[in-house]
Amino acid sequence: MTNWRILIVEDEDDAAVPMSALLEVHGYRCSVAGTAAEAMVEARRLRPDLLLLDIGLPDMDGLDLLQRLREEGVLTECRVLAVTGSIDDATRERCRDVGCHAFYPKPVDIDLILSVLGELDQ
């Protein structure tokens, strides 16, 4: 399903922009938000099929953002892949508690994301 709508929530442009461009080359429709506030607006507009969510955002914890979007019903059918600079046991547990499907340390490899998307398409 390469027509997936993907929202990349990442405050580092040097990570978000190339990821978006590479996913678009593979046929995915991508949008990028650099803050939780931007992500709230974009998620409501886009209704993404997949959310690539940075946990460490400048204006709100990414997992708190995810919880708010889920409570609003914005992400009812959305898969969520969390990414962070460091994943400890407490972060893993929080990711599971708020409904992340998977979590990965930064930097996330595009081949890994494409592999996950391929598995989700089956």
Side-chain angles (χ1 to χ4, degrees):
M1 180 168 121
T2 56
N3 60 350
W4 282 38
R5 296 176 311 271
I6 300 174
L7 176 55
I8 301 169
V9 182
E10 169 61 64
D11 61 326
E12 298 291 333
D13 283 345
D14 60 341
V17 172
M19 178 69 71
S20 175
L22 286 168
L23 289 169
E24 287 176 351
V25 164
H26 285 86
Y28 297 97
R29 296 183 298 158
C30 295
S31 184
V32 174
T35 66
E38 291 172 3
M40 293 287 289
V41 170
E42 196 58 19
R44 290 176 187 133
R45 182 193 72 76
L46 185 65
R47 300 289 178 163
D49 301 302
L50 179 74
L51 180 64
L52 288 175
L53 177 64
D54 182 11
I55 294 174
L57 298 172
D59 57 339
M60 177 187 284
D61 179 275
L63 298 178
D64 292 338
L65 166 66
L66 175 58
Q67 190 167 355
R68 285 183 59 187
L69 289 169
R70 289 223 186 268
E71 287 169 358
E72 284 186 20
V74 174
L75 302 177
T76 55
E77 301 292 322
C78 184
R79 297 285 187 153
V80 180
L81 306 179
V83 295
T84 185
S86 64
I87 296 181
D88 55 26
D89 289 339
T91 303
R92 283 186 171 99
E93 187 173 327
R94 281 190 66 218
C95 285
R96 283 189 286 271
D97 288 347
V98 296
C100 293
H101 296 89
F103 38 86
Y104 304 102
K106 287 184 178 182
V108 179
D109 181 44
I110 185 65
D111 291 329
L112 173 63
I113 299 300
L114 290 171
S115 174
V116 169
L117 288 166
E119 289 174 17
L120 294 173
D121 271 343
Q122 296 177 9

